[in-house]
C-alpha cells in the first residue's frame, strides 16, 4: 500500500510539473463579474475600458498547454445582483481569434447591461532557431495575428511591440521548445525617443514553465536611446538551459521616460 501511495504522489506531481502558467483571477463589480478564472496564464488578466463604444475588453495571455475545450479552463461567475444574459458558450474558440468571445451581464435591479469581449492569446511554441521581425520593414497583420512563438498584451495596431506603462498589460512574451546550452536570445531593445531616463526600470526574464521567472537582463535608466547605434541597441543574452518562455517586462516608468521598442528578435543555437 505504501508503494502504491508513493507512486500516486509521483504520478500527480509529474502531472503538476507539466502544467505551464498559472490560474489567474479577474473580478470587477462594474461588469458584474464576481470571478473570472483562466488557467495556464502567463500574466495577470488585463481589463481595458472603452468609454466611446461602451464595450469593455479583457485580455489574457496563456501558455501552449492551455486547452479552451477543457472543463474549467475558463470559469465565469456573476456578481450578486447580476445575471449572465450572454454566457460562455459550449464552443469558446472565438476567444482565441481577433473576433473575441462576446459576453453580457445584466443588473437585476434596473435591467442595465454590460457588454465585454474576452480575448485569449495562446502562444504556440516555436522551434529553435527562429526569428521574429517587427517594424516598418516587417509589419505584421494585426487583423489575423499568428501567435506562434510570441504573445502581446493585446491586438496592438503599432508596427513594433512596445512597453508603454507600468501595468500588468505591458509585457511581451516569447515561447519555444526548451533551450539547450549556449542558446542565445538576440534582439533590438531601445527607447522610443531620446528623453532623459529618470525612473525607467525594465527586465528581461526567462522561465522553464511560465510560472517561475529569473531575470537575465535588467535596465535601470540604461535603455539605449532612439538615436543609439544599431550595435548599441542590439543585445545578446545566453538563455538558462531549459528555458521555454521569455518575458520583456516594464517595472517602473517616470512620467517623461520613453516607451521601449523591441524588434528583430531571434533565438540562435550554437
Amino acid at each position: 500500500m505504501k508503494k502504491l501511495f508513493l507512486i500516486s504522489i509521483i504520478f500527480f506531481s509529474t502531472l503538476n510539473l507539466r502544467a505551464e502558467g498559472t490560474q489567474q483571477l479577474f473580478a470587477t463589480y462594474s461588469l458584474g463579474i464576481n470571478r473570472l478564472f483562466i488557467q495556464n496564464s502567463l500574466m495577470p488578466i488585463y481589463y481595458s475600458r472603452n468609454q466611446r463604444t461602451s464595450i469593455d475588453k479583457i485580455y489574457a495571455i496563456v501558455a501552449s498547454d492551455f486547452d479552451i475545450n477543457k472543463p474549467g479552463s475558463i470559469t465565469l461567475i456573476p456578481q450578486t445582483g447580476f445575471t449572465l444574459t450572454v454566457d460562455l458558450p459550449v464552443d469558446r474558440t472565438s476567444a482565441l481569434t481577433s473576433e473575441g468571445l462576446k459576453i453580457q451581464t445584466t443588473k437585476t435591479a434596473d435591467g442595465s447591461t454590460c457588454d465585454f469581449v474576452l480575448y485569449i492569446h495562446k502562444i504556440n511554441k516555436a522551434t529553435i532557431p527562429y526569428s521574429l521581425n517587427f517594424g516598418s520593414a516587417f509589419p505584421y497583420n494585426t487583423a489575423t495575428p499568428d501567435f506562434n512563438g510570441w504573445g502581446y498584451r493585446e491586438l496592438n495596431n503599432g508596427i513594433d511591440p512596445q512597453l508603454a506603462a507600468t501595468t500588468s498589460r505591458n509585457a511581451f512574451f516569447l515561447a519555444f521548445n526548451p533551450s539547450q546550452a549556449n542558446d542565445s536570445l538576440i534582439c533590438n531593445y531601445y527607447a522610443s525617443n531620446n528623453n532623459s531616463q529618470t525612473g525607467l526600470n525594465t527586465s528581461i526574464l526567462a522561465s522553464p514553465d511560465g510560472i517561475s521567472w529569473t531575470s537575465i537582463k535588467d535596465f535601470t535608466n540604461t535603455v539605449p536611446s532612439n538615436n543609439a547605434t544599431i550595435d548599441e541597441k542590439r543585445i545578446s543574452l545566453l538563455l538558462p538551459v531549459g528555458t521555454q518562455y521569455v518575458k520583456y517586462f516594464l517595472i517602473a516608468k517616470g512620467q517623461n521616460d520613453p516607451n521601449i521598442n523591441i524588434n528583430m528578435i531571434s533565438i540562435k543555437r550554437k
Side-chain angles (χ1 to χ4, degrees):
M1 181 64 69
K2 286 185 178 180
K3 287 184 178 180
L4 178 61
F5 180 68
L6 180 60
I7 291 171
S8 298
I9 291 177
I10 295 172
F11 176 74
F12 286 110
S13 296
T14 302
L15 288 180
N16 289 335
L17 286 173
R18 288 177 182 171
E20 295 175 5
T22 60
Q23 179 174 264
Q24 290 289 335
L25 163 68
F26 172 79
T28 174
Y29 185 83
S30 63
L31 292 183
I33 300 174
N34 179 267
R35 292 286 188 275
L36 171 62
F37 289 108
I38 299 178
Q39 293 184 346
N40 305 108
S41 295
L42 296 176
M43 63 180 289
I45 299 167
Y46 167 55
Y47 166 43
S48 173
R49 186 153 209 177
N50 192 323
Q51 300 290 350
R52 293 176 299 170
T53 64
S54 299
I55 296 178
D56 299 275
K57 297 179 180 180
I58 299 173
Y59 298 95
I61 296 179
V62 297
S64 62
D65 59 347
F66 175 81
D67 183 358
I68 201 164
N69 296 313
K70 178 183 174 182
S73 62
I74 309 173
T75 304
L76 179 60
I77 303 170
Q79 290 276 2
T80 301
F82 287 81
T83 58
L84 287 169
T85 42
V86 179
D87 199 350
L88 293 172
V90 175
D91 183 1
R92 306 171 180 182
T93 53
S94 60
L96 298 173
T97 71
S98 57
E99 177 186 352
L101 182 61
K102 298 174 177 62
I103 304 170
Q104 184 185 79
T105 58
T106 298
K107 195 172 184 179
T108 307
D110 58 13
S112 60
T113 60
C114 296
D115 296 285
F116 58 97
V117 184
L118 175 63
Y119 297 95
I120 298 178
H121 298 177
K122 177 180 176 178
I123 310 178
N124 298 309
K125 292 178 185 175
T127 300
I128 299 174
Y130 85 107
S131 63
L132 295 167
N133 295 321
F134 297 92
S136 57
F138 306 97
Y140 61 85
N141 186 348
T142 57
T144 55
D146 175 8
F147 294 114
N148 184 35
W150 68 279
Y152 195 36
R153 57 191 167 98
E154 56 187 270
L155 300 184
N156 190 287
N157 291 324
I159 56 176
D160 297 314
Q162 192 175 79
L163 308 183
T166 55
T167 60
S168 61
R169 71 182 187 271
N170 271 277
F172 180 78
F173 292 87
L174 305 177
F176 40 88
N177 293 327
S179 62
Q180 299 176 9
N182 299 319
D183 286 349
S184 297
L185 167 67
I186 301 168
C187 64
N188 292 339
Y189 190 86
Y190 59 97
S192 60
N193 59 44
N194 300 317
N195 287 0
S196 297
Q197 299 173 23
T198 59
L200 195 59
N201 186 358
T202 76
S203 283
I204 302 175
L205 305 103
S207 173
D209 53 13
I211 301 171
S212 59
W213 296 88
T214 301
S215 174
I216 54 176
K217 180 69 175 180
D218 296 313
F219 299 84
T220 303
N221 299 322
T222 56
V223 177
S225 64
N226 185 268
N227 66 356
T229 67
I230 292 296
D231 288 341
E232 290 171 333
K233 292 178 180 178
R234 184 165 295 137
I235 59 173
S236 179
L237 303 170
L238 193 64
L239 293 172
V241 174
T243 295
Q244 296 193 85
Y245 296 95
V246 167
K247 174 169 64 174
Y248 297 86
F249 190 65
L250 183 55
I251 300 168
K253 181 177 182 292
Q255 183 176 357
N256 296 316
D257 284 330
N259 299 332
I260 298 169
N261 294 329
I262 314 160
N263 58 32
M264 303 298 285
I265 304 163
S266 65
I267 295 183
K268 296 188 175 181
R269 175 152 289 169
K270 291 185 178 180

